[in-house]
Amino acid sequence: MGRPMQVARYWRHFKEKYRLIGGKCKSCGHVHFPKRPLCPECGSQEIEEFQFSGRGKVVSWTIVRNPPSGYEYYKPYPVALIELEEGPVVLAQLTDIDPEKIDFGMEVEMVTRKIREFDEDGIILYGYKFRPPIK
Amino acid sequence: MRKPVIIGVGLTPVGEHWRLGLRDLAVEALLNAMEDAGVDKVDSLYVGNMASGSFVEQENLGALIADWAGLGNIPAVKVEAACASGGAAVQEGVKAVMSGLEDVVAVVGVEKMTDAWPSDATRYLAYAADAEWELFHGVSFVALNALAMRLYMKEYGYTEEDLALFAVNAHANGAKNPYAMFKKPITVETVIKSPYVADPIKLFDASPIADGAAAVIITTEDKAKEFVDKAKMVEVAGMGRAIDTINLANRKDFLILKAAKVAAERAYRMAGISANDIDFFEVHDAFTIMAALSLESIGVAERGKGAMLAKEGQIAIDGDYPIQTLGGLKARGHPVGATGVYQTVEAVWQLRGEAPNQVPDAEIGLTQNIGGTGSNITVTLLRRV
């Protein structure tokens, strides 16, 4: 799977995956993640970029014990649905956490981490994960 | 429009078919169905398949299967809707017959999954999710369903034992089906003692990776008389299909299969019936949680009460709402793109009175086939002619 032109497939999403930038509808004000070509609420095509704070709460979670190929390195790892404080829900891995301590409504914050590596000479993917906030 | 009827069915057992390839399975099921229907040629072929390109490096299944089945220069295409590919292919075949464009149509659902390494199979199945916003984060298909199961248990106070009852029922019924992958009954303890795949989903909450093919022959009611007696005819009385957000996180409500709700409403309207008129339900229990959510979304149970039907024993063959009468995805097996056609074949058996564990006096059956995490769903209603 280590094809060189995979690179473009991933840098297209740097804004979203490194900085958690989504979309905001100029017409109705609805915010969403990732950014879409049409507002999922009102259908308007006037969408501007929106910077999320990166803070959110755990809605549900699981522990991936049999990952898809390419993701074996971290297994087992927790994946959660996280409701951002601005409203939208994102799916991401949880990191820096004891899986036993994950709970409904737990507060988390976004961090940038390595997601996976491809084969030797392949690219390394980074993106958002969420962890309990450092206070 | 013309009334579509199914006049022939064929299938292979579901299992790990090490000696057979994709084309062998598909051609076997297809020729069986043609023999059952008494037809020696068809006007077109629709192939339900999810991921042949990934699993066996073969696309262009229309040409491959029609060629190897000796069907001549007919139109033939693959229909893809993730795990609902089989249900979608059946509906495409029905549409072709109803429209008057084609008179006798063959539909075959096929998937050959065991040629792939298990972690690769896990990856290919996740291609039905959103690659950039779900698979990117290392989530498997089981994990996406697990997120819904954990919420469901919390929201309505169910336990893992409660949901395990769906698996127990499926295995009890699968034990009677000679074409099922698992023919052994299990207990709640079997499920609970099995290892977690993605908590809270355990191995026995999940359907197996498998190979298999199933086929049906569809024609019009008038034309059907040329081939079979009335007893062998089953009408496709209603059908509906709908999508939902491909990305689970983008859903407003994680515990309603909106696509199933919309698809079922369309099917009921077309057939002029309600959920109360249906005698049995072949719902898509790829995971036990999906059986519960399906019953709620198609209007059989109120919100949060799907798992109650299992606890009350109402989902067994002699219950008020029999489901998975031949084992469902869980025990019959789930060769993904073929599953919707297997469900159709099993519903036809019930309506012809040929099922090994017959639902008494079954007149109307429902098949519901889910692609993705509820993102692409078909509902089809079959009725005795």
Side-chain angles (χ1 to χ4, degrees):
Chain A
M1 298 291 289
R3 294 186 298 272
M5 287 316 290
Q6 290 270 38
V7 172
R9 251 186 93 189
Y10 297 106
W11 65 239
R12 274 176 223 143
H13 293 301
F14 276 0
K15 276 185 189 170
E16 292 97 326
K17 284 176 177 162
Y18 288 10
R19 291 162 52 201
L20 215 62
I21 286 174
K24 179 175 184 180
C25 176
K26 284 181 168 174
S27 173
C28 75
H30 182 264
V31 291
H32 55 271
F33 184 89
K35 186 166 172 265
R36 286 169 175 260
L38 281 84
C39 173
E41 283 299 308
C42 73
S44 163
Q45 294 181 34
E46 299 290 310
I47 311 289
E48 61 186 3
E49 290 185 352
F50 181 81
Q51 174 68 60
F52 286 93
S53 68
R55 289 184 294 273
K57 287 180 177 171
V58 172
V59 174
S60 187
W61 75 99
T62 183
I63 312 295
V64 179
R65 296 174 190 275
N66 296 61
S69 53
Y71 290 83
E72 294 91 345
Y73 178 77
Y74 289 106
K75 86 168 182 182
Y77 49 86
V79 169
L81 289 170
I82 294 139
E83 185 177 355
L84 301 173
E85 67 179 5
E86 296 88 352
V89 176
V90 295
L91 180 133
Q93 286 186 27
L94 297 180
T95 185
D96 306 355
I97 191 170
D98 173 358
E100 297 291 317
K101 300 212 167 117
I102 305 170
D103 204 358
F104 296 104
M106 167 184 257
E107 288 185 18
V108 288
E109 68 182 6
M110 180 242 182
V111 282
T112 304
R113 290 290 158 84
K114 185 164 74 183
I115 302 287
R116 71 171 283 201
E117 286 181 30
F118 285 80
D119 319 341
E120 208 176 323
D121 303 328
I123 58 175
I124 301 171
L125 300 183
Y126 295 88
Y128 50 81
K129 293 187 184 183
F130 285 78
R131 69 175 177 198
I134 304 288
K135 289 181 177 154
Chain B
M1 271 190 280
R2 313 194 300 174
K3 188 192 269 191
V5 294
I6 295 172
I7 56 168
V9 296
L11 72 172
T12 73
V14 180
E16 296 175 340
H17 289 289
W18 306 111
R19 289 173 185 278
L20 298 174
L22 181 145
R23 74 182 76 190
D24 306 316
L25 293 163
V27 169
E28 184 181 327
L30 186 52
L31 295 182
N32 285 344
M34 289 174 69
E35 192 184 341
D36 187 43
V39 303
D40 54 12
K41 61 188 178 63
V42 295
D43 296 329
S44 73
L45 171 71
Y46 294 85
V47 182
N49 173 269
M50 170 178 158
S52 59
S54 301
F55 280 115
V56 294
E57 299 177 327
Q58 179 71 63
E59 297 290 10
N60 201 5
L61 295 190
L64 175 80
I65 295 163
D67 175 11
W68 281 74
L71 299 182
N73 304 108
I74 60 164
V77 289
K78 162 171 163 171
V79 178
E80 188 269 311
C83 299
S85 297
V90 169
Q91 295 196 353
E92 290 306 310
V94 170
K95 279 157 70 176
V97 165
M98 287 182 79
S99 73
L101 195 62
E102 292 159 2
D103 288 330
V104 182
V105 166
V107 177
V108 62
V110 62
E111 205 79 54
K112 174 70 194 172
M113 305 171 76
T114 63
D115 284 359
W117 195 249
S119 62
D120 286 334
T122 301
R123 158 172 291 278
Y124 305 149
L125 290 171
Y127 290 170
D130 186 326
E132 289 172 342
W133 306 104
E134 293 181 318
L135 177 56
F136 175 86
H137 297 285
V139 76
S140 64
F141 225 76
V142 190
L144 288 166
N145 283 272
L147 293 167
M149 179 166 163
R150 190 185 294 279
L151 264 184
Y152 186 81
M153 287 163 53
K154 181 209 175 210
E155 188 81 10
Y156 304 114
Y158 291 114
T159 62
E160 290 177 13
E161 283 82 357
D162 295 335
L163 285 156
L165 292 168
F166 285 105
V168 173
N169 174 67
H171 277 257
N173 293 342
K176 310 252 173 54
N177 177 4
Y179 293 89
M181 184 162 179
F182 301 126
K183 300 187 199 66
K184 261 176 77 175
I186 60 165
T187 63
V188 168
E189 199 183 12
T190 317
V191 183
I192 298 303
K193 283 194 168 166
S194 66
Y196 282 118
V197 184
D199 325 26
I201 290 183
K202 294 189 152 116
L203 187 64
F204 270 78
D205 284 302
S207 53
I209 281 174
D211 309 325
V216 296
I217 306 298
I218 306 163
T219 186
T220 66
E221 191 178 30
D222 291 339
K223 188 94 179 163
K225 293 168 192 152
E226 296 175 23
F227 303 109
V228 293
D229 295 333
K230 197 177 161 198
K232 280 192 94 168
M233 297 179 198
V234 169
E235 178 196 357
V236 181
M239 55 190 199
R241 190 150 100 210
I243 67 110
D244 201 344
T245 64
I246 187 161
N247 189 329
L248 179 69
N250 289 164
R251 227 91 13 113
K252 280 185 177 157
D253 186 336
F254 301 113
L255 297 180
I256 279 279
L257 297 172
K258 187 77 188 296
K261 190 169 185 292
V262 173
E265 283 165 1
R266 285 181 181 149
Y268 297 154
R269 203 178 315 129
M270 179 173 163
I273 64 159
S274 75
N276 295 328
D277 301 318
I278 299 165
D279 300 303
F280 66 95
F281 304 82
E282 297 301 332
V283 297
H284 189 101
D285 60 335
F287 304 96
T288 49
I289 177 64
M290 279 299 134
L293 292 182
S294 293
L295 288 172
E296 295 170 24
S297 303
I298 62 177
V300 173
E302 284 173 36
R303 190 184 168 110
K305 298 279 172 64
M308 238 15 233
L309 294 184
K311 285 180 85 169
E312 292 166 353
Q314 297 196 53
I315 60 170
I317 294 287
D318 59 358
D320 286 345
Y321 306 99
I323 68 168
Q324 327 305 61
T325 64
L326 278 307
L329 285 60
K330 177 70 194 79
R332 172 236 295 129
H334 182 29
V336 286
T339 287
V341 188
Y342 273 98
Q343 292 175 324
T344 311
V345 170
E346 289 158 359
V348 167
W349 284 347
Q350 288 289 359
L351 296 167
R352 283 182 183 176
E354 295 172 358
N357 48 354
Q358 187 64 41
V359 174
D361 303 320
E363 285 202 17
I364 302 179
L366 174 148
T367 66
Q368 176 239 23
N369 195 193
I370 304 182
T373 317
S375 60
N376 206 336
I377 301 184
T378 73
V379 172
T380 307
L381 296 167
L382 302 170
R383 182 158 56 195
R384 211 159 65 190
V385 170

